[in-house]
C-alpha cells in the first residue's frame, strides 16, 4: 500500500465507501499522474524547442512532430495507393496480351517504390525479432551448459567478459565483410543487409542471456538438486524437470535485458550500415536536411522509444504467462 | 531382528580454505528393519552430515554405509529424504511433486492408473487429498511438509531419512504431524532415521534415541532405548513416569555430556556450509546485480 492509498483510505472513512476510495486512488495512480507527467514534459519540450535554433531551423516542438506523423501516414497511404495502381495496370496489360496471344507467358514485376516509414518500422521489427530469436536459440542452451559445469564456466567466462562490452559499431564492419564473403548465393533467400543487421543484433544481445541463464542455473536451490539426485533423475530429465523451470525467472530477466539491447543495437546498426529499417530512415532524413527533417527524426525517436517499451511489456507478459514465479514485475 | 542399515565407523572431513575440518569421527550405528531412530544433538554437531552420508549425498572419508548388504555409493530413492525445508518444486502442484517421484521410481512397473492411485493414496496418508492440486505457495508450511513426506513415502523407501522435518512448524501443527507420522509408521512399518532437536518429539516417536556429542569430530555419545509400548498417546504419556525419565535423561545429556572430554571445546569452527556460494564466478554474479 502506498501513501496515496493510505490517504485515500483515511478519507473514505469520512465520505466514500472503501471500494470507491480504492478505485479513486488507483485511477489517480495509473491515469492522472502519468498524464500529468506527460503534459509537463510536452510543455517543457515545446518551450525548450522554441529556444533552440539549428541550421535546419527551429528545433521541432510537439506540434511540428505531430504534423510530421500525419505527413508520414499520408505518404504511406499514397505509396500503397500507387502500388495498388501499379499492380492493377500490370494485370490489365497482361490480361490484354493473353487475350491477343494465348501462348503469351505473362510477366509479373514486383513494385519497387521507396519504403515508407511504416515499411521501415516493420523491417526493423522483423530484423530485431529474428536476431533476438537466434540469440535465444544459442544463449539458453549455452547458459545452461555453463551453469551446470564449473569447468565450462571457467573456460568460457573470460570470452564472455571480453565480448560483452563490445559495441555493435565494432562488430558491423566485420560482420559485413564476412557475410559478403560467405553468403554468395545467386538467388539469395534474404537480403545481405538483413543478415548483417541480424547477426550484429545477435552478437550484441547474446551475452546478457548467457550470463543470466548461467547464474540462474548455477544458483538453483541445493535442496532441489538433492531431490533430483535422490530420485536419480537422468541428466536430460534433470535439466527438463528441475534446471529449466527453476531458472525460468533468471532466463527471462536475461531475455528482457537482451531484447532491450537488441533494439538499441539494431537502430545503430541500421544507421551505420544504411540497412533498411528505422535507423536508415533517421539517417536518410539527416542527410536530406530539409526543414521537416528534424521533426521527422523526432517522430522516429518517439516511435523507437514506444516500440522498445512495447517489446519490454511483451516480454513481461510472456514471462507472466510461462513463469511459476509470480513475483515477476 | 536383523540389521537393515549398518553405518560403519564413518569419519567425515570437509575440505575448507583453512585445511580439512573433521565433522564426524567414528560414527557407528546399526539399525534394524522397522526401527524408528532419532538423532539428537546440539546445532552444528553433525546430525545432517550423518544423514547426508546415509542418503549418499556425501561420501564418508572413512568407513561406509551398508544397506541390505550393499554399500551405499550414491543417492537413491530407496533412501528417501524428507528435507528440513520441504524442498518441493515450487512450479509443481502437490500431486505433480509426488508424481515426479512416482514416475521415476515406478514408471516401468506401474500402469498410469496404478500410478495415479498410488499418488493419491500417499497424499491421503498425510491428509492432503483436499489440496493436492495446489502449488506449494498456496499451502501452509505444515501442508508443504506433509507433501514432502508423501513424496518420500511414495518412493517406498527401505529407509526414510528425515532432517528436522517439523522444525519450522508451530507447536500445534507439529503435534498433529507427529501423530500422523506415528500412525503411518505403525501402518507401514517404515525404518526411519529422524533428526530432531526437540526432546519430547524424540521420546514420543523413537525406539532409540542417538545422542551426539558436540563437534568438531562429533560422534555418538549415548544411545537411549525408549521402551514404551505402542501405540503411544501424548496425553497419557505426559503422566507416565517412564516417559519423564527418558525425557530427563536426554535433557541431562544435552546439558552436561554435550562436549567430548578428550576434545578441547571451542575450537575454531569453519564457516557454516550454507554460506558457501554456488559455483558461478563472483564476477558473473556482480554483472547480474548491476543489470537487474
Ligand atoms: N559441505 C560442508 N563443507 C564444510 N563444512 C561443512 C559442510 N557441511 C557441514 N559442515 C560442517 O560440519 C558441521 C556439522 O554440520 P551439520 O551436519 O549441518 O550440523 P547439524 O545438522 O547437526 O546442525 C558444522 O560445523 C558445519 O559447519
Ligand atoms: Mg542440520
Amino acid at each position: 500500500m502506498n501513501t496515496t492509498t493510505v490517504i485515500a483510505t483515511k478519507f473514505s472513512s469520512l465520505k466514500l465507501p472503501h471500494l470507491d476510495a480504492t478505485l479513486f486512488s488507483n485511477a489517480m495512480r495509473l491515469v492522472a499522474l502519468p498524464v500529468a507527467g506527460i503534459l509537463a514534459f510536452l510543455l517543457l519540450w515545446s518551450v525548450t524547442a522554441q529556444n533552440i535554433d539549428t541550421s535546419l531551423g527551429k528545433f521541432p516542438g510537439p506540434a511540428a512532430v505531430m504534423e510530421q506523423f500525419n505527413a508520414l501516414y499520408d505518404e504511406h497511404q499514397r505509396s500503397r495507393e500507387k502500388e495498388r495502381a501499379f499492380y492493377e495496370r500490370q494485370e490489365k496489360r497482361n490480361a490484354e496480351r493473353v487475350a491477343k496471344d494465348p501462348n503469351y507467358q505473362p510477366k509479373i514485376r514486383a513494385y519497387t517504390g521507396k519504403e515508407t516509414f511504416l515499411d521501415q518500422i516493420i523491417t526493423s521489427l522483423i530484423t530485431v525479432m529474428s536476431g533476438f530469436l537466434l540469440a535465444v536459440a544459442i544463449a539458453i542452451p549455452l547458459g545452461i551448459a555453463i551453469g551446470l559445469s564449473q569447468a565450462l564456466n571457467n573456460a568460457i567466462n573470460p570470452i564472455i567478459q571480453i565480448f560483452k562490452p563490445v559495441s555493435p559499431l565494432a562488430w558491423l564492419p566485420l560482420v559485413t565483410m564476412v557475410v559478403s564473403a560467405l553468403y554468395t548465393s545467386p538467388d539469395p533467400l534474404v537480403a545481405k543487409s538483413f543478415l548483417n543487421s541480424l547477426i550484429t543484433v545477435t552478437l550484441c544481445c547474446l551475452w546478457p542471456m548467457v550470463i543470466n541463464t548461467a547464474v540462474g542455473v548455477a544458483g538453483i536451490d541445493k535442496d532441489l538438486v538433492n531431490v533430483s539426485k535422490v530420485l536419480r533423475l537422468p541428466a536430460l530429465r534433470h535439466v527438463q524437470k528441475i534446471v529449466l523451470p527453476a531458472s525460468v525467472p533468471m532466463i527471462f530477466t536475461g531475455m528482457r535485458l537482451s531484447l532491450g539491447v537488441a533494439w538499441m543495437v539494431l537502430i545503430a546498426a541500421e544507421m551505420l550500415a544504411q540497412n533498411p529499417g528505422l535507423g536508415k530512415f533517421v539517417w536518410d532524413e539527416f542527410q536530406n536536411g530539409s526543414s521537416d527533417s528534424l521533426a521527422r527524426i523526432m517522430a522516429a525517436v518517439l516511435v523507437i522509444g514506444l516500440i522498445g517499451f512495447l517489446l519490454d511489456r511483451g516480454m513481461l507478459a510472456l514471462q507472466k504467462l510461462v513463469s511459476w514465479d509470480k513475483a515477476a514485475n | 531382528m536383523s540389521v537393515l542399515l549398518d553405518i560403519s565407523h564413518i569419519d567425515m572431513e570437509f575440505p575448507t580454505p583453512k585445511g580439512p575440518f573433521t565433522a564426524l569421527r567414528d560414527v557407528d550405528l546399526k539399525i534394524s528393519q522397522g526401527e524408528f531412530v532419532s538423532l539428537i544433538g546440539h546445532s552444528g554437531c553433525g546430525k545432517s552430515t550423518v544423514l547426508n552420508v546415509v542418503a549418499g549425498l556425501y561420501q564418508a572419508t572413512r568407513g561406509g554405509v551398508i544397506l541390505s548388504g550393499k554399500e551405499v555409493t550414491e543417492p537413491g530413492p530407496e533412501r528417501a529424504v524428507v528435507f528440513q525445508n520441504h524442498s518441493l518444486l515450487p512450479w509443481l502442484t502437490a500431486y505433480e511433486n509426488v508424481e515426479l517421484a512416482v514416475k521415476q521410481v515406478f514408471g516401468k512397473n506401474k500402469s498410469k492408473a496404478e500410478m495415479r492411485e498410488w499418488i493419491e493414496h500417499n497424499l491421503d496418508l498425510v491428509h492432503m487429498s483436499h489440496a493436492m492440486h495446489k502449488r506449494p505457495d498456496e499451502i501452509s508450511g505444515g501442508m508443504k511438509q506433509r507433501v514432502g513426506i508423501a513424496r518420500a513415502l511414495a518412493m517406498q523407501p527401505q529407509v526414510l531419512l528425515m532432517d528436522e522435518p517439523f522444525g519450522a512448524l508451530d507447536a500445534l501443527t507439529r503435534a498433529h504431524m507427529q501423530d500422523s507420522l506415528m500412525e503411518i509408521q505403525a501402518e507401514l512399518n517404515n525404518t526411519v532415521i529422524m533428526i530432531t532437536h526437540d526432546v519430547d518429539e524424540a521420546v514420543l516417536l523413537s525406539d532409540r534415541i542417538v545422542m551426539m556429542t558436540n563437534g568438531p569430530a562429533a560422534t555418538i555419545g549415548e544411545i537411549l532405548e525408549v521402551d514404551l509400548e505402542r501405540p503411544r498417546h501424548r496425553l497419557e504419556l505426559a503422566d507416565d513416569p517412564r516417559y519423564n525419565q527418558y525425557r530427563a535423561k536426554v535433557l541431562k545429556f544435552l546439558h552436561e555430556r554435550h562436549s567430548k572430554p578428550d576434545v578441547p571445546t571451542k575450537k575454531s569452527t569453519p564457516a557454516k556450509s550454507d554460506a558457501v556460494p554456488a559455483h558461478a564466478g563472483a564476477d558473473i554474479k556482480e554483472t547480474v546485480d548491476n543489470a537487474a
Side-chain angles (χ1 to χ4, degrees), chain A residues 39-292:
Chain A
L39 287 179
F41 169 73
L42 289 178
L43 191 71
L44 196 69
W45 174 14
S46 58
V47 170
T48 319
Q50 270 165 14
N51 294 314
I52 303 177
D53 279 308
T54 71
S55 61
L56 296 177
K58 284 224 183 305
F59 192 85
V65 172
M66 200 56 226
E67 201 177 294
Q68 284 312 314
F69 266 121
N70 285 330
L72 286 168
Y73 184 68
D74 287 345
E75 273 167 38
H76 174 75
Q77 294 291 63
R78 272 202 301 282
S79 167
R80 283 292 133 92
E81 195 58 49
K82 267 196 204 157
E83 184 177 348
R84 204 169 322 129
F86 170 85
Y87 282 118
E88 252 168 41
R89 277 201 308 278
Q90 174 172 283
E91 212 170 288
K92 211 162 127 200
R93 213 165 40 232
N94 281 338
E96 277 167 12
R97 295 193 64 166
V98 172
K100 267 189 212 154
D101 174 9
N103 292 330
Y104 176 73
Q105 290 292 324
K107 284 196 202 89
I108 295 180
R109 285 191 196 82
Y111 177 74
T112 53
K114 188 172 172 291
E115 294 105 331
T116 66
F117 187 53
L118 226 72
D119 294 333
Q120 305 281 39
I121 293 177
I122 289 167
T123 308
S124 283
L125 279 174
I126 292 174
T127 317
V128 81
M129 287 321 291
S130 315
F132 174 70
L133 289 179
L134 179 61
V136 168
I138 299 169
I140 291 178
L142 184 63
I144 289 176
I146 293 175
L148 287 176
S149 151
Q150 175 68 63
L152 207 57
N153 182 31
N154 289 343
I156 295 182
N157 195 30
I159 303 171
I160 295 177
Q161 298 302 331
I162 288 171
F163 281 153
K164 189 169 63 91
V166 174
S167 147
L169 309 185
W171 282 120
L172 197 58
L174 297 174
V175 171
T176 310
M177 296 314 289
V178 170
V179 168
S180 305
L182 297 182
Y183 190 63
T184 51
S185 147
D187 181 24
L189 195 64
V190 294
K192 266 184 195 167
S193 61
F194 172 75
L195 267 190
N196 290 339
S197 302
L198 182 153
I199 294 173
T200 308
V201 164
T202 304
L203 281 175
C204 293
C205 77
L206 205 55
W207 315 114
M209 274 190 282
V210 174
I211 292 170
N212 277 277
T213 306
V215 171
V217 168
I220 294 176
D221 189 349
K222 248 182 70 194
D223 282 345
L224 298 188
V225 176
N226 283 343
V227 168
S228 171
K229 282 186 185 163
V230 167
L231 284 174
R232 288 212 193 111
L233 291 185
L236 213 61
R237 241 178 116 65
H238 171 65
V239 169
Q240 178 201 355
K241 291 284 171 187
I242 313 275
V243 172
L244 214 49
S247 32
V248 153
M250 277 303 270
I251 291 178
F252 265 93
T253 305
M255 282 169 80
R256 276 178 72 195
L257 283 173
S258 278
L259 191 55
V261 169
W263 185 237
M264 286 219 227
V265 161
L266 176 68
I267 304 299
E270 286 170 351
M271 271 182 87
L272 187 72
Q274 313 221 7
N275 294 338
L278 273 169
K280 180 168 167 20
F281 174 87
V282 170
W283 187 252
D284 287 350
E285 287 300 333
F286 180 57
Q287 294 298 320
N288 201 1
S290 84
S291 56
D292 292 335

Side-chain angles (χ1 to χ4, degrees), chain A residues 22-38:
Chain A
T22 320
L23 270 179
F24 172 75
S25 96
N26 279 345
M28 188 74 189
R29 211 158 35 89
L30 298 176
V31 182
L33 293 179
V35 166
I38 289 171

Side-chain angles (χ1 to χ4, degrees), chain B residues 55-77:
Chain B
L57 292 165
Y58 289 168
Q59 276 301 310
T61 332
R62 209 166 307 126
V65 175
I66 294 164
L67 176 66
S68 316
K70 269 184 24 198
E71 184 166 4
V72 166
T73 54
E74 56 167 354

Side-chain angles (χ1 to χ4, degrees), chain B residues 19-36:
Chain B
F21 169 75
T22 308
L24 302 177
R25 173 150 313 148
D26 200 29
V27 173
D28 194 68
L29 184 66
K30 291 176 178 43
I31 296 174
S32 315
Q33 161 65 41
E35 204 178 0
F36 195 119

